[in-house]
């Protein structure tokens, strides 16, 4: 009887040890997949903005978008943070899932966040305003958190 119990515990422990890394990878892949799909849609929206609107010093051309950071659940590892920035003259989004950091190119012009540490960390939906402007003779996108309809009408959100 004791031998069966010891054997059952040993087999259960081995099974848990064998499946844990696979589950962790699947959860991280789910979070990455969610972010990749959203950022592909965002890239298409920003490309449309760049192609159809004029960049002015006042930043009249803008788009309000919603990005949802996946929360940590049984099926998703969750996203630790998301930030937008410029890398080698193009706009990119960088996010972290567990210990892996991923970067995806969004547009062919720079994206400038409101502050160097401007990043999204809370899970859930975030409304953002991307503004196409002209700065120093170059077209750039700036990104801000959306505050309200009144603030959007009165200037950048």
């Amino acid at each position: 009887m004791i031998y069966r119990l010891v054997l059952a515990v040993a087999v259960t422990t081995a099974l848990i040890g064998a499946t844990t890394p696979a589950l962790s990878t699947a959860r991280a892949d789910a979070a990455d997949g969610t972010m990749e799909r959203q950022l592909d849609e965002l890239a298409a929206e920003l490309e449309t903005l760049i192609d159809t609107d004029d960049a002015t010093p006042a930043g009249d051309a803008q788009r309000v978008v919603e990005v949802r950071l996946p929360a940590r659940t049984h099926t998703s590892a969750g996203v630790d943070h998301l930030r937008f920035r410029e890398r080698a003259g193009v706009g990119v989004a960088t996010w972290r899932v567990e210990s892996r950091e991923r970067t995806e190119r969004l547009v062919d012009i720079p994206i400038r966040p409101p502050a160097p540490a401007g990043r999204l960390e809370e899970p859930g939906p975030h409304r953002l305003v991307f503004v196409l402007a002209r700065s120093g003779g170059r077209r750039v996108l700036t990104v801000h958190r959306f505050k309200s309809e009144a603030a959007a009408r009165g200037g950048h959100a």
Side-chain angles (χ1 to χ4, degrees):
M1 180 73 173
I2 290 184
Y3 292 117
R4 287 184 191 171
L5 178 64
V6 170
L7 181 60
V9 169
V11 169
T12 302
T13 303
L15 286 173
I16 290 172
T19 58
T20 299
L23 289 173
S24 178
T25 300
R27 291 174 64 223
D29 290 346
D32 278 334
T34 298
M35 290 307 300
E36 287 171 356
R37 283 187 297 280
Q38 288 186 86
L39 293 173
D40 287 346
E41 291 174 13
L42 176 61
E45 183 75 22
L46 295 178
E47 286 293 339
T48 300
L49 171 67
I50 292 167
D51 292 343
T52 60
D53 293 320
D54 293 325
T56 64
D60 298 322
Q62 53 186 282
R63 293 288 191 278
V64 177
V65 298
E66 184 174 281
V67 176
R68 181 178 298 273
L69 269 60
R72 178 177 292 278
T73 65
H74 295 295
T75 58
S76 175
V79 172
D80 295 330
H81 69 266
L82 169 67
R83 64 187 170 131
F84 299 96
R85 61 192 174 103
E86 174 185 358
R87 179 190 275 177
V90 300
V92 298
T94 301
W95 70 97
R96 179 180 298 274
V97 174
E98 293 182 338
S99 62
R100 298 185 315 190
E101 189 161 279
R102 301 276 315 270
T103 299
E104 184 172 315
R105 179 197 146 307
L106 295 176
V107 291
D108 290 330
I109 65 173
I111 293 179
R112 297 199 178 132
R119 65 188 202 173
L120 307 173
E121 295 178 336
E122 306 83 29
H126 297 270
R127 292 187 74 193
L128 305 172
V129 179
F130 285 85
V131 180
L132 179 62
R134 187 163 294 280
S135 175
R138 292 177 40 183
R139 295 183 312 162
V140 298
L141 280 171
T142 58
V143 59
H144 307 276
R145 288 181 188 254
F146 183 84
K147 294 182 182 168
S148 69
E149 291 294 333
R153 284 191 299 272
H156 304 306

